[in-house]
Amino acid sequence: MSPVSLKDIEIRVLKGLQGQIKLPMEAKDLATIMGLDYAVLMTAVYELQNQGYATFAEQEVDEYQLTDEGKKYAQTGLPERIIIKYLLSHQLKESPLNELQKKVNLEQNLFFIGIGNLKKMRWIQTSKATGEETIYLSVQEAPQIPLEQLLATMIETGGIFANQLEKMDFSTGDRVRDVDANKIVEVVRKRKIAKQVKYTRRLVNLTEKGKKLDINKVVAKTEVTRLTPDLLQSGEWKNVSLKPFNVAARGPSLFGGKLHPVTLLINKVREVFLSMGFTEIRGPIVESAFYNFDALFQPQDHPAREMHDTFYLDNPKVAKLPPEEYVRAVAQTHETGGSTGSIGWGGKWSEAIARQIILRTHTTATTIRRLSEIGRNKEPLPARVFSIDRVFRNEKVDFKHLAEFTQIEGIVIDKGVTLSDLRGLLTSFFTRMGFSKILTRPGYYPYTEPSLTVAVYSEDHKRWFEMAGSGIFRPEVTEPWGIKDPERVLAWGMGFERLAMLYYEYKDIRDLYRNPLSWLREVPV
Ligand code: PHE
């Protein structure tokens, strides 16, 4: 068997441990005794542990430690002991209290504590029958009381563990009240003899192998990280051990410049739609109520138009509208249903309301703009467009709401397209974004019929997340622009930030734009 070889410091610590009479031992005490830095000691202990010579364990300690007062009592005896000892040794069966006080060498307050406790234990009695307060001894002997038993135990070690205390047998003091541990603890606390402390002990011990190892036979080994010409020339290389490389160690993290995760994800979404044959469109952020609401058959008294949902602009104040005939066609769908067979919303449609200027509340305003062009210009079908763009809603900002956010939106215009096409399209989109299961449920939007809400299943969260709204645009939306059955328009829209949060596993939506540096650095791209 080849000789055991250890580093100098390990040999020193092992020797130190073998020299201890009492093990296990607290690491910090060992460090003090050996005059070693704690961290240096611990490194050696870990290494010795790895090699099976030592063990290291952490232990939560709940301990009672003697206070200064407790230590004093432990040395001089409790005041009650001092008094009773005096009485018994002097065969003093009765004595006026103040005389006794002069004879017993105790401070006033301690004397009275002692007298009080002796009375409680019925070792003495007091009476004022003679006019003067007099004490009468009622016992012939005074055995050790539990508190003294405890003090004796504690003075040896300076403390006692709570669980040890619980197990202590105090039954010998049958003449006294305090025979169970709980009561003792109470007394100890009240008399400020000990205090309870909780801490972690770090204990070092030797294993059998460590105890048996003959330190004199251990070869001190020098560890080198590389072979130098000197080592080779001198032949010393034979005596050193090469420190192995830890190939599993992590290298330092380097944070290079990169695109913002929001931009990266937008690009990814963009690529998915482009690869599916879509064209990207953009539209104005400052939009007319006409395109944002009216062209989408949203009634003029619809609650979403209220100030608290929509930002209205003072300047410019009035929007331009498309040529008169189209405005009329939209107005008619609202008032009577126009040529669509619907009865509309009734009432009088107001052009002034449609001319109000707002920050668009959804990018459906942008897709309807594009639809209106396609219809008016009779552009060839199919038409597939998408947009990823900023929208605004007068929301209270919190961890899942922003007043300014991004929507992913799209439409497909073609003859005879159906809900299945819509479902298929959304499934491919979400699959490419990493969600393979989608669920559609009936929904409601003023501009689609039928309407579907779309949820995706997150494997990470093991649950469904509502992600998008979709449907087939109603005739009231498409006919004013000349798009009629069998030409149909599949439409959908969704919040980008929600997708981003699932994609990046992020909890607070605001952080996407607050730009916490640590996240920006670490988020995988
Ligand atoms: N505009 C809807 C929204 O903001 C989404 C939607 C778009 C619904 C197109 C149906 C059709 O939530």
Side-chain angles (χ1 to χ4, degrees):
M1 214 175 79
S2 64
V4 176
S5 88
L6 291 170
K7 276 187 243 167
D8 283 335
I9 181 72
E10 290 155 16
I11 294 174
R12 213 174 127 194
V13 170
L14 198 58
K15 224 185 232 167
L17 278 168
Q18 286 184 342
Q20 298 306 318
I21 314 165
K22 249 186 116 191
L23 282 177
M25 160 155 216
E26 271 202 65
K28 65 172 175 11
D29 295 340
L30 187 64
T32 317
I33 292 173
M34 296 194 58
L36 280 177
D37 179 72
Y38 182 75
V40 172
L41 171 86
M42 287 316 291
T43 315
V45 168
Y46 278 125
E47 199 44 52
L48 288 170
Q49 170 162 298
N50 282 343
Q51 311 213 20
Y53 296 115
T55 60
F56 168 74
E58 291 196 338
Q59 194 184 55
E60 299 303 323
V61 183
D62 183 359
E63 192 182 52
Y64 290 92
Q65 288 177 354
L66 287 179
T67 58
D68 287 342
E69 204 163 343
K71 282 182 196 148
K72 200 173 86 194
Y73 283 154
Q75 276 160 11
T76 62
L78 295 168
E80 52 265 45
R81 175 60 58 194
I82 295 175
I83 299 169
I84 196 80
K85 225 186 202 165
Y86 184 89
L87 293 173
L88 288 171
S89 61
H90 291 82
Q91 293 287 310
L92 200 57
K93 296 254 162 50
E94 67 172 87
S95 161
L97 195 62
N98 53 7
E99 259 174 51
L100 179 65
Q101 193 189 343
K102 275 175 217 142
K103 290 181 196 150
V104 178
N105 183 22
L106 267 180
E107 282 165 39
Q108 165 134 342
N109 63 332
L110 290 181
F111 178 77
F112 284 106
I113 292 173
I115 291 293
N117 286 320
L118 288 175
K119 272 163 72 176
K120 263 193 225 156
M121 293 191 288
R122 298 189 218 286
W123 283 0
I124 62 166
Q125 281 171 322
T126 55
S127 164
K128 280 189 186 154
T130 55
E132 225 181 349
E133 179 146 37
T134 308
I135 67 112
Y136 302 90
L137 181 63
S138 352
V139 290
Q140 266 111 53
E141 54 182 25
Q144 190 187 46
I145 63 169
L147 190 54
E148 289 171 319
Q149 191 187 333
L150 180 63
L151 276 177
T153 316
M154 286 179 77
I155 196 67
E156 266 178 50
T157 49
I160 185 166
F161 300 134
N163 58 355
Q164 230 175 315
L165 178 63
E166 273 156 31
K167 282 188 221 124
M168 261 178 92
D169 177 13
F170 293 113
S171 56
T172 50
D174 57 352
R175 296 210 46 172
V176 295
R177 308 173 316 142
D178 311 319
V179 287
D180 79 79
N182 283 339
K183 286 207 183 116
I184 295 275
V185 169
E186 226 180 275
V187 172
V188 157
R189 270 217 203 104
K190 259 195 212 137
R191 293 184 69 173
K192 296 197 173 56
I193 288 171
K195 57 179 186 298
Q196 190 174 21
V197 279
K198 293 183 178 172
Y199 62 96
T200 310
R201 292 215 303 172
R202 300 189 164 78
L203 296 172
V204 184
N205 204 349
L206 280 175
T207 59
E208 281 311 308
K209 186 175 156 192
K211 279 182 204 153
K212 282 198 209 114
L213 186 70
D214 184 350
I215 244 7
N216 299 317
K217 292 208 183 113
V218 177
V219 182
K221 101 182 149 179
T222 322
E223 226 177 34
V224 296
T225 47
R226 63 199 179 103
L227 285 174
T228 58
D230 279 353
L231 287 171
L232 293 173
Q233 274 162 11
S234 65
E236 189 53 25
W237 63 271
K238 289 180 203 147
N239 305 326
V240 300
S241 75
L242 270 177
K243 193 179 163 99
F245 285 116
N246 179 0
V247 290
R250 288 174 66 101
S253 307
L254 297 176
F255 303 112
K258 63 182 173 194
L259 289 179
H260 193 284
V262 165
T263 309
L264 287 167
L265 189 60
I266 286 180
N267 286 346
K268 183 171 170 132
V269 170
R270 191 170 271 148
E271 265 166 41
V272 170
F273 280 117
L274 290 174
S275 74
M276 287 161 73
F278 283 74
T279 309
E280 182 166 3
I281 54 167
R282 303 201 70 174
I285 282 170
V286 174
E287 185 54 284
S288 60
F290 179 81
Y291 281 116
N292 198 85
F293 297 123
D294 294 283
L296 289 164
F297 198 54
Q298 206 143 324
Q300 291 195 320
D301 59 1
H302 193 282
R305 297 203 192 204
E306 301 276 323
M307 282 288 204
H308 55 79
D309 284 325
T310 304
F311 290 111
Y312 284 84
L313 264 64
D314 279 339
N315 180 25
K317 208 162 180 64
V318 186
K320 286 197 200 101
L321 296 184
E324 180 58 30
E325 52 178 304
Y326 297 102
V327 177
R328 279 291 0 124
V330 168
Q332 256 150 34
T333 59
H334 279 252
E335 289 173 356
T336 63
S339 61
T340 64
S342 139
I343 57 164
W345 299 112
K348 180 106 188 77
W349 182 83
S350 148
E351 190 174 309
I353 291 178
R355 280 187 190 270
Q356 285 175 311
I357 296 203
I358 60 168
L359 296 180
R360 75 175 161 213
T361 63
H362 53 183
T363 42
T364 321
T366 298
T367 45
I368 189 66
R369 257 181 189 274
R370 181 70 188 111
L371 179 146
S372 73
E373 282 168 12
I374 293 170
R376 283 160 60 188
N377 302 334
K378 308 223 174 319
E379 289 182 34
L381 299 182
R384 297 189 188 89
V385 298
F386 75 100
S387 104
I388 310 172
D389 228 335
R390 204 48 84 85
V391 299
F392 304 82
R393 283 183 202 172
N394 201 350
E395 300 244 29
K396 200 170 156 333
V397 174
D398 66 23
F399 77 100
K400 53 180 199 179
H401 294 98
L402 295 167
E404 209 184 313
F405 57 100
T406 309
Q407 283 191 327
I408 305 171
E409 184 102 18
I411 52 173
V412 172
I413 316 177
D414 202 2
K415 279 200 182 101
V417 281
T418 65
L419 270 193
S420 295
D421 296 312
L422 178 62
R423 225 179 161 277
L425 204 130
L426 291 169
T427 307
S428 345
F429 169 72
F430 283 116
T431 305
R432 301 227 203 154
M433 298 310 297
F435 307 93
S436 50
K437 282 193 245 167
I438 83 163
L439 184 81
T440 47
R441 287 185 276 228
Y444 175 79
Y445 299 95
Y447 31 97
T448 47
E449 180 58 42
S451 306
L452 297 176
T453 60
V454 186
V456 302
Y457 189 76
S458 155
E459 297 291 346
D460 292 334
H461 296 84
K462 300 268 172 272
R463 71 174 188 88
W464 296 91
F465 285 86
E466 189 96 16
M467 293 298 281
S470 68
I472 297 181
F473 273 158
R474 298 172 76 111
E476 291 93 326
V477 173
T478 62
E479 284 190 18
W481 313 100
I483 295 173
K484 282 198 179 80
D485 204 53
E487 291 165 355
R488 284 181 214 142
V489 184
L490 310 178
W492 68 92
M494 73 189 88
F496 166 81
E497 284 78 7
R498 171 166 282 210
L499 182 71
M501 282 173 68
L502 278 186
Y503 191 84
Y504 289 123
E505 302 263 300
Y506 225 65
K507 301 226 163 45
D508 188 330
I509 197 166
R510 291 168 293 195
D511 281 338
L512 283 174
Y513 299 107
R514 203 154 38 184
N515 295 325
L517 272 184
S518 57
W519 178 63
L520 291 180
R521 280 184 177 144
E522 276 148 32
V523 65
V525 292

